[in-house]
Amino acid sequence: MTIRAGLVGLGKIARDQHLPAIEKTAGIEVVAVASRNAQGEGVSNYPNLDAMLAGEPELDAVILCQPPQVRYQAARQAILAGKHVFLEKPPGATVSEVEALVALAKARNVTLYASWHSRYAAAVAQAKAWLASRTIERIDIQWREDVRHWHPGQPWIWEAGGFGVFDPGINALSILTEIVPEPVTLLSASLEVPQNKDAPIGAALKMATASGAPVEAVFDWRQTGPQTWDIAVETGNGRLLLSEGGNMLRLDGEVQVKAPDEEYPAMYRRFVQLTADKAIDADIAPLRLVADAFLCGRHCPTTAFED
Amino acid sequence: MTIRAGLVGLGKIARDQHLPAIEKTAGIEVVAVASRNAQGEGVSNYPNLDAMLAGEPELDAVILCQPPQVRYQAARQAILAGKHVFLEKPPGATVSEVEALVALAKARNVTLYASWHSRYAAAVAQAKAWLASRTIERIDIQWREDVRHWHPGQPWIWEAGGFGVFDPGINALSILTEIVPEPVTLLSASLEVPQNKDAPIGAALKMATASGAPVEAVFDWRQTGPQTWDIAVETGNGRLLLSEGGNMLRLDGEVQVKAPDEEYPAMYRRFVQLTADKAIDADIAPLRLVADAFLCGRHCPTTAFED
């Protein structure tokens, strides 16, 4: 059986990642698109989810690629219509709404997949396996990139609730919570908020594993030149360095994995399997750590930023 | 069988509420106290939880009344020692740590009770029953009190992670999430933060029920004179007003319940039952809404406040 999927929100991420990945994946095809301003080729097109659900009663699944602010009501509507749901990251604008979706998907017996693409980077599974048998002593995360390059002309990322630098930072937290074999909790945070914005451009987080190992993270959107997406783990038995956002792995300095990003095809293989089992995969841990960082974070005003 | 409990943190809330409530409750007694600066009467006294667990191997349960910032490690330690755990509200400083405790308590087959005292106010159960068969059209919460009266000399409530006005506000959210029969999610928030503090003195929250009914809440710590703890609910079939923090109920203007606060004895009856069943009662919904309010909340600097 092939899953007939409808995609909502035909923007950059949908065109760059979702559609090519679905092309490569057995067991799923896009038969309809709902988008206000864009049209998909070779599929039925609708102006919004309402119209798509009404016009395509045979849809099995809905893929939600819109900004997280409008994702909850759409996901709820799709689940209530009996559809499996694929959520781009972050799975919602708040922790409460993702919890509500999980409860609803369970009650309606449909698949809910909260995708975290960085968890499918080439070296993450091997990093997780290597750490499983070791004692973690400390973890340092450096996630530094140039917001002007990655988010040109996106004013909503700077609004309250727009996540700011946690938009990339949550990718680091999604890898962290995947590879560490016990819960990670937040101890304190400082958030650098430009005087002309409502969301942080930089953040420093102090966390800990349940066993007490320190975990420190620095997120910064003011990096020009080379970009940095590194997670370094010291253990009682060797040192791990995940870099390039999880696509390169060094163990005690020796390169073990260096591979191109194949994250989205891996996610769609996962989604096809989940729908076959009507299973839920919606780990809220990365989003919870972000909410906790805002809950406990000290706001530090910083220089105005013009993007 | 009587539960032998050890109480940690013999401060004002323990003396005013916990010890008198336990006195009144069949099936539980306090046999030990761990407190840095205080001594319980007629019980074994220890300087900290470590010493209490070592000195009282027969303890069945641990009651944690310290500030939430230090509760996670203590709760974890108690669960790992096989003890049932009673958490004062809020159950932790972050959402992640309470989720971690729930998972640990399940794995270790002990009771974890995240107590929300306002849910046991005299009129809350009746309000919940009345709403169960009605369609909610809108909800307005007013939670206004005088911080100088309720929190004199507590600088930590004003620090980042100290919750500020959400310390009382979470009581309103605990009632809200108890009486509304579907999930409530946060849409937006504004947080008034005094220029000389790191936590809000006032907050306005816009929320919604899953069906879309608006829920608005105003929390304010600058109320002098009469204090206000009101939740008003408009339904398709009548109007409900819970006031006095849940101890007074009016339906269409007619007083139905007006009773003194008996919250803590009701909580200890619940805890005794939970431990008999080795059950977990740890609803994180109120804390999640607080974290979500900080995650999405716009910080609005306001006049410095001297307490």
Side-chain angles (χ1 to χ4, degrees), chain A residues 72 76 93-97 99-100 160-161 183-186 198 210-211 288-292 294-299, chain B residues 72-73 76 93-97 99-100 160-161 183-186 198 210-211 288-292 294-299:
Chain A
Y72 172 58
R76 195 177 135 76
T94 67
V95 180
S96 303
E97 63 186 35
E99 292 281 3
V184 174
T185 56
L186 189 116
D198 286 316
S211 307
R288 273 201 301 264
L289 283 172
V290 172
D292 287 338
F294 279 86
L295 174 62
C296 298
R298 185 153 185 272
H299 274 234
Chain B
Y72 172 60
Q73 282 304 332
R76 196 177 134 76
T94 67
V95 179
S96 304
E97 64 186 34
E99 292 281 3
V184 175
T185 55
L186 190 116
D198 286 315
S211 307
R288 274 201 302 262
L289 284 172
V290 172
D292 287 338
F294 279 86
L295 175 62
C296 298
R298 187 156 183 271
H299 274 234

Side-chain angles (χ1 to χ4, degrees), chain A:
Chain A
M1 177 203 141
T2 292
I3 299 164
R4 287 153 301 188
L7 184 145
V8 185
L10 189 59
K12 183 170 164 55
I13 189 81
R15 290 186 190 279
D16 289 355
Q17 298 286 357
H18 290 264
L19 294 179
I22 293 167
E23 273 298 314
K24 288 188 199 174
T25 307
I28 183 166
E29 61 178 336
V30 172
V31 299
V33 160
S35 207
R36 204 168 304 181
N37 304 312
Q39 300 268 309
E41 281 171 31
V43 299
S44 308
N45 283 281
Y46 297 93
N48 54 49
L49 177 61
D50 269 338
M52 186 169 79
L53 290 173
E56 303 283 334
E58 302 297 305
L59 277 188
D60 302 303
V62 171
I63 300 161
L64 298 178
C65 302
Q66 330 99 300
Q69 284 72 13
V70 297
R71 211 171 283 156
Y72 172 58
Q73 282 304 332
R76 195 177 135 76
Q77 195 180 348
I79 294 169
L80 289 174
K83 312 304 180 193
H84 304 302
V85 173
F86 183 121
L87 299 169
E88 240 302 339
K89 68 124 267 225
T94 67
V95 180
S96 303
E97 63 186 35
V98 187
E99 292 281 3
L101 291 180
V102 171
L104 190 65
K106 278 184 188 160
R108 299 293 173 136
N109 198 28
V110 298
T111 285
L112 180 70
Y113 180 42
S115 71
W116 297 106
H117 65 80
S118 293
R119 287 184 173 178
Y120 295 86
V124 170
Q126 193 172 330
K128 178 178 180 165
W130 190 83
L131 284 173
S133 60
R134 284 173 170 79
T135 303
I136 293 173
E137 293 181 347
R138 69 170 289 126
I139 302 178
D140 282 284
I141 298 172
Q142 299 275 336
W143 222 252
R144 299 173 186 274
E145 59 178 53
D146 182 353
V147 65
R148 289 191 178 93
H149 177 78
W150 298 102
H151 295 281
Q154 295 182 10
W156 60 87
I157 59 171
W158 294 110
E159 292 169 6
F163 280 53
V165 76
F166 286 89
D167 176 88
I170 202 169
N171 295 333
L173 298 175
S174 75
I175 296 176
L176 174 73
T177 50
E178 175 71 12
I179 64 176
V180 175
E182 54 178 12
V184 174
T185 56
L186 189 116
L187 304 176
S188 67
S190 65
L191 311 177
E192 287 181 275
V193 183
Q195 281 164 339
N196 58 338
K197 308 286 188 191
D198 286 316
I201 195 167
L205 280 59
K206 288 187 191 297
M207 301 173 279
T209 68
S211 307
V215 181
E216 301 206 358
V218 174
F219 303 152
D220 202 317
W221 248 351
R222 292 160 296 198
Q223 177 101 326
T224 54
Q227 310 281 288
T228 309
W229 300 290
D230 287 357
I231 299 178
V233 186
E234 298 283 351
T235 78
N237 187 16
R239 180 169 199 274
L240 176 151
L241 177 63
L242 261 178
S243 52
E244 301 183 10
N247 286 302
M248 186 169 182
L249 173 66
R250 287 186 187 85
L251 298 176
D252 294 320
E254 296 285 321
V255 175
Q256 309 287 322
V257 179
K258 181 169 167 53
D261 160 6
E262 276 286 324
E263 299 169 3
Y264 280 76
M267 291 205 294
Y268 275 99
R269 290 193 296 274
R270 172 86 178 138
F271 184 59
V272 168
Q273 185 60 52
L274 287 169
T275 59
D277 303 338
K278 294 194 177 181
I280 292 174
D281 178 352
D283 182 12
I284 309 177
L287 182 57
R288 273 201 301 264
L289 283 172
V290 172
D292 287 338
F294 279 86
L295 174 62
C296 298
R298 185 153 185 272
H299 274 234
C300 308
T302 186
T303 319
F305 182 82
E306 304 302 337
D307 50 337

